[in-house]
Amino acid sequence: MSSPFSSINWADIFRMEVGLGVTIVTKDGRVAYSNESARSLFGVTPAKLGTYRHLSAVFHPEFVRERMAWIEQVIEDGKPLRARHIYNGHQMVSTFYPISDGGELLRSMDATKQDDAAVNPNENQSAPGDGPNAGDGPNAGDGPNAGDGPNVGDGPNAGDGPNVGDGPGGAQYVLILSRRDPLDSTEDIATVTSQYVDLGCLSALSNRELEIFILLGHGKSVPEVAKMLHRSPRTVERHKTEIGRKLGYSTLAEIARAVGHLGLTYDHLQLERFHALAKDAKGVEDKTQS
């Protein structure tokens, strides 16, 4: 039974959504398509046309493992899922939609966006040695195409995503819409929060400095922070000065704006810190394209 949304030109809709990252990932974690916005959001350069670079060729193993779990859940349940996370120091939301006719959507993307790298989905059905399974670490043979990096954004209405699979297990692809600084949505979509945080430039802060940075950013005064952390105000001031030296924020107002913009809360201190983009991603990419 065809979806009532199958006649919609989703490629045109996505093209009009400036800043919306669009990524199509196969059920085993290979990126079949990503637009320029997705590549910009995740800091990934385009891959060689006609290849399906695996997520593990570009991202940290834990980043891949967590997203593969979400992809598996979306495909098995046949329902969209929203994921909130901090990537490179920015608040992000990724909405995952199961799609059963990924090939048709890929062809639509290819026809509408000639400057983006889309590939024929039939190629990945028989190509041996394609990317490894979820969580296998960066050793993908053929990685996903055109800059990957899934994630974010509030796409079509809950359950009404482009050509949602016919029931649980019917999808072969997942469409991922990504956006920075998203507004809260009233859509009835299950939401999860990443257990990892990529702080970007904030990675320069020690755990204590990050804690003080967040508390000051949420309106706590230096004496209040000192009392909460059982430290002297002079010690907190010293940390505040060091934060300013590392980040360039010298006033409480600047710190508050930065923390609010990034969406950082005290809960983020409990998450594991990592750099989501694999350190050797560029080297792997060059090898893939040679």
Side-chain angles (χ1 to χ4, degrees):
M1 180 178 179
S2 63
S3 165
F5 300 92
S6 59
S7 62
I8 298 176
N9 190 330
W10 293 104
D12 269 343
I13 293 176
F14 296 148
R15 182 173 58 178
M16 291 185 291
E17 284 284 342
V18 178
L20 178 67
V22 179
T23 308
I24 298 175
V25 182
T26 65
K27 64 188 302 181
D28 62 351
R30 291 169 291 152
V31 176
Y33 172 87
S34 65
N35 68 352
E36 184 178 352
S37 293
R39 297 192 294 272
S40 176
L41 286 171
F42 292 91
V44 179
T45 56
K48 184 179 179 181
L49 285 173
T51 63
Y52 272 41
R53 191 168 54 196
H54 193 272
L55 293 174
S56 61
V58 182
F59 297 103
H60 188 284
E62 294 302 332
F63 181 96
V64 176
R65 188 173 293 113
E66 186 174 59
R67 272 144 192 81
M68 286 304 303
W70 295 337
I71 288 171
E72 181 179 353
Q73 178 180 338
V74 166
I75 288 177
E76 287 186 354
D77 296 345
K79 297 178 181 178
L81 178 72
R82 179 176 296 119
R84 298 185 181 278
H85 57 112
I86 301 292
Y87 185 93
N88 195 27
H90 292 276
Q91 183 180 191
M92 304 270 281
V93 169
S94 301
T95 306
F96 297 64
Y97 293 93
I99 50 177
S100 58
D101 66 340
E104 191 64 37
L105 186 54
L106 283 169
R107 285 188 287 274
S108 175
M109 294 292 189
D110 192 28
T112 306
K113 307 188 79 174
Q114 297 296 329
D115 59 334
D116 274 318
V119 297
N120 185 342
N122 292 327
E123 292 178 7
N124 77 12
Q125 301 302 324
S126 58
D130 277 329
N133 292 328
D136 280 347
N139 58 0
D142 300 323
N145 191 34
D148 16 278
N151 295 17
V152 136
D154 299 325
N157 292 332
D160 294 343
N163 305 311
V164 173
D166 297 329
Q172 297 298 315
Y173 299 82
V174 170
L175 169 68
I176 306 172
L177 305 182
S178 309
R179 195 194 301 273
R180 281 182 183 170
D181 307 320
L183 298 175
D184 287 337
S185 174
T186 58
E187 293 176 328
D188 185 19
I189 299 180
T191 301
V192 294
T193 300
S194 174
Q195 296 305 299
Y196 305 95
V197 58
D198 179 352
L199 294 172
C201 66
L202 298 185
S203 296
L205 301 181
S206 67
N207 289 337
R208 177 65 76 188
E209 289 167 350
L210 180 63
E211 184 176 29
I212 292 173
F213 179 72
I214 291 175
L215 290 173
L216 292 175
H218 281 275
K220 301 297 183 182
S221 66
V222 168
E224 288 174 328
V225 172
K227 184 176 181 180
M228 291 176 65
L229 300 182
H230 305 290
R231 296 289 187 273
S232 70
R234 179 177 297 179
T235 297
V236 174
E237 278 288 359
R238 186 169 65 249
H239 282 302
K240 177 175 171 290
T241 299
E242 185 63 13
I243 291 170
R245 186 188 68 78
K246 291 180 177 180
L247 303 181
Y249 303 130
S250 58
T251 68
L252 291 177
E254 289 174 329
I255 292 175
R257 281 196 297 271
V259 170
H261 176 72
L262 298 175
L264 288 172
T265 68
Y266 203 75
D267 289 340
H268 286 115
L269 294 171
Q270 313 306 316
L271 303 181
E272 182 178 340
R273 296 167 59 168
F274 74 162
H275 186 62
L277 194 64
K279 292 182 179 179
D280 58 347
K282 187 62 170 63
V284 171
E285 174 185 287
D286 289 342
K287 182 177 180 181
T288 300
Q289 296 191 33
S290 62

